[in-house]
Amino acid sequence: MNYAAELAPGLRSNIRVKMSSLSLTSSILIVGGGTWGCSTALHLARRGYTNVTVLDPYPIPSPIAAGNDINKIMEHRELKDSETDPRSIMFATCSRAALKGWRADPVFQPYFHETGSIVAAHTPALIEHVRENEIDPVKDTFTELTTANDFRNTMPPGVLTGPFPNWKGWFSKSGAGWIHAQKAMVSAYTEAQRLGVRFITGSPSGAVQCLAYEDGDVIGAQTADGVLHRADQTILAAGATSDRLLDFKNQLRPTAWTLCHIRMTADEAALYRNLPVLFNIAKGFFMEPDVDHRELKICDEHPGYCNFVPDPNHNNEIRSVPFAKTQIPKEAESRARAFLRDTMPHLADRALVFARICWDADTPDRAFLIDRHPEYPSLVVAVGGSGNGAMQMPAIGGFIADALEGKLVREVRDVVRWRPETAVGRDWRDTQGRFGGLGKVMDFQEVGEDGWTDI
């Protein structure tokens, strides 16, 4: 379905006029300098746009950006021959383009480690879920892992020392691995800036307070220093905070995940180089230590945390409102250590040296939201990473630029369109097919003051 076709004729005409007036000298304002904002700036500059400005309240890489991370999972799974789900087709199209960029684009290639990945589970129901939804042994090369020794043999001796109780997994050696998301984001920012993109960062000059409106359209944004940044076209790509700047008709739910680091010795860091990602869909995952600080990141897996409070931006309705914190709930730390006891018990009691909560924006169907706004012809929204946004970095800006130019390919366009009908009666505590933790979306408001780690 093409949602634009359902709009009033006059509004469709306004959108066509705005798109037809787009030129390489048009002023384009990107609100948000995170993963998607930097990628979009780079792609627009590469296409020859000469008047692109990015606003962000923090210097890049922003400490609150989901992509400001030492590593993120990158995976691409080709569709099964029988697969017809539009969302799966959309995601495969995007991740295929991203994988090509990670492998070949000099801006991103140095930060992709195609080490392979292991996806696993530990209960009969979850194992069957992985088999049905993640594995296609006919088309892909997977090695089945059924014993603790099978898991241990995927990595050098001394890395995986745990019992892997009741675990079963599948190891794929290509099309997956990990990315140094922070360095890739900085690389995209640096190249976009070299190509002429103007970045205004830090508060108050880069902190957008509100979008600016005139004659029924968005004409840019106003920052905390009182400056009105006018633009012919505005792209809202502010991640989980986008919901604070525009009424998304309940299409966005800021959701947070938890991560923590432990310090490795130089010998341990050398042993842990070039490892496949190990991911249990209900317990957690880890990737190799970063080379700069020798810190190993561990994430506990769960359906997410929200921060349900009265939101003044939505008439004090109870909504999830993001906030920054370089701590995690102690219960998340306990889950991370339980994952280590299954896999690497020799590290399970090591002190944490860093932790933080990491926000993203979930759409009701976990598909991206990239479209011209149906009421504001000069506004493009590029949000809804839904936990899969960072891996898309090399290519997502191209899809967003396509939406700006009105030429987004149909298999993507029809899925990522503006779709408030999917949010009618939305269950804000829906797990959205995620597993682990307490089996539900958790609430930061239920974490007491003494319930947080103190690093």
Side-chain angles (χ1 to χ4, degrees):
M1 173 183 175
N2 184 351
Y3 185 68
E6 302 301 312
L7 301 176
L11 189 51
R12 290 203 306 273
S13 175
N14 286 340
I15 290 177
R16 283 197 298 269
V17 168
K18 291 293 183 180
M19 289 182 357
S20 66
S21 63
L22 180 67
S23 72
L24 293 180
T25 58
S26 296
S27 55
I28 302 173
L29 182 67
I30 301 173
V31 178
T35 301
W36 285 20
C38 286
S39 179
T40 303
L42 175 62
H43 278 268
L44 289 174
R46 284 176 165 177
R47 294 187 185 192
Y49 289 93
T50 59
N51 192 1
V52 180
T53 301
V54 179
L55 300 175
D56 197 275
Y58 296 95
I60 295 170
S62 164
I64 65 169
N68 186 1
D69 201 347
I70 61 173
N71 47 40
K72 295 283 190 186
I73 296 174
M74 169 60 209
E75 60 181 345
H76 168 64
R77 181 179 65 84
E78 284 294 347
L79 297 172
K80 299 178 182 179
D81 291 333
S82 60
E83 203 150 12
T84 59
D85 173 55
R87 192 178 73 91
S88 297
I89 294 171
M90 176 280 297
F91 189 77
T93 301
C94 292
S95 62
R96 186 185 303 114
L99 180 61
K100 182 178 179 181
W102 286 119
R103 285 172 168 170
D105 190 328
V107 170
F108 299 104
Q109 187 275 334
Y111 311 109
F112 177 43
H113 303 261
E114 195 168 355
T115 54
S117 68
I118 300 164
V119 60
H122 63 285
T123 70
L126 292 175
I127 289 169
E128 190 58 30
H129 175 85
V130 172
R131 189 196 314 273
E132 291 182 359
N133 294 278
E134 303 289 342
I135 308 302
D136 185 1
V138 174
K139 294 181 66 174
D140 296 312
T141 303
F142 286 94
T143 301
E144 192 170 295
L145 311 173
T146 59
T147 69
N149 278 335
D150 288 342
F151 282 94
R152 293 174 192 146
N153 290 337
T154 62
M155 301 188 192
V159 173
L160 299 179
T161 59
F164 291 87
N166 301 314
W167 281 46
K168 183 168 183 145
W170 287 264
F171 178 27
S172 176
K173 295 184 179 180
S174 65
W178 64 275
I179 58 173
H180 199 300
Q182 180 193 84
K183 290 182 178 179
M185 189 195 312
V186 171
S187 180
Y189 155 71
T190 302
E191 179 64 7
Q193 194 173 49
R194 187 188 72 80
L195 293 174
V197 175
R198 181 187 183 207
F199 286 81
I200 303 175
T201 62
S203 186
S205 58
V208 171
Q209 296 294 291
C210 60
L211 298 179
Y213 299 85
E214 192 174 277
D215 297 329
D217 198 3
V218 170
I219 57 156
Q222 182 169 313
T223 46
D225 57 359
V227 174
L228 172 60
H229 298 265
R230 283 184 170 269
D232 298 322
Q233 304 283 331
T234 301
I235 300 173
L236 178 56
T241 61
S242 298
D243 193 47
R244 314 279 289 163
L245 298 172
L246 181 72
D247 182 3
F248 278 90
K249 310 297 183 184
N250 296 337
Q251 292 178 89
L252 294 187
R253 182 190 72 184
T255 310
W257 284 269
T258 43
L259 63 90
C260 54
H261 296 184
I262 58 177
R263 177 97 13 92
M264 310 291 280
T265 68
D267 288 343
E268 287 172 333
L271 178 65
Y272 276 62
R273 290 292 304 276
N274 299 317
L275 300 183
V277 175
L278 176 59
F279 176 39
N280 182 304
I281 66 168
K283 289 207 168 186
F285 60 90
F286 87 97
M287 287 160 277
E288 67 181 74
D290 76 306
V291 297
D292 299 314
H293 304 289
R294 301 199 308 267
E295 292 181 7
L296 181 75
K297 186 182 86 171
I298 309 103
C299 293
D300 61 313
E301 185 64 18
H302 50 73
Y305 281 91
C306 288
N307 180 44
F308 289 117
V309 295
D311 186 352
N313 289 324
H314 294 90
N315 297 316
N316 285 323
E317 177 186 347
I318 299 297
R319 300 283 290 268
S320 181
V321 177
F323 63 97
K325 199 173 186 71
T326 52
Q327 294 172 297
I328 59 174
K330 290 178 180 177
E331 62 191 20
E333 177 187 2
S334 295
R335 288 191 295 265
R337 295 192 185 281
F339 169 75
L340 287 174
R341 282 192 291 274
D342 275 9
T343 59
M344 298 174 287
H346 58 289
L347 301 177
D349 296 320
R350 191 165 296 189
L352 303 184
V353 296
F354 178 75
R356 79 171 177 119
I357 58 177
C358 179
W359 290 93
D360 204 347
D362 276 330
T363 61
D365 54 10
R366 289 181 63 187
F368 306 145
L369 176 52
I370 303 171
D371 199 2
R372 280 195 176 271
H373 194 282
E375 297 175 18
Y376 308 118
S378 299
L379 176 65
V380 171
V381 295
V383 295
S386 302
N388 294 307
M391 72 172 71
Q392 308 294 336
M393 197 184 313
I396 195 67
F399 290 108
I400 295 167
D402 286 345
L404 177 73
E405 295 174 346
K407 60 182 187 183
L408 192 57
V409 293
R410 182 172 183 175
E411 62 263 32
V412 174
R413 180 194 69 211
D414 290 351
V415 175
V416 304
R417 61 181 174 80
W418 182 265
R419 50 192 191 281
E421 72 280 3
T422 64
V424 174
R426 182 172 190 179
D427 178 2
W428 292 100
R429 297 180 184 268
D430 182 10
T431 62
Q432 297 192 300
R434 298 185 176 107
F435 305 100
L438 301 178
K440 65 178 183 178
V441 171
M442 296 163 285
D443 188 350
F444 283 129
Q445 291 298 308
E446 297 173 2
V447 180
E449 289 187 11
D450 60 350
W452 294 85
T453 57
D454 184 12
I455 300 172

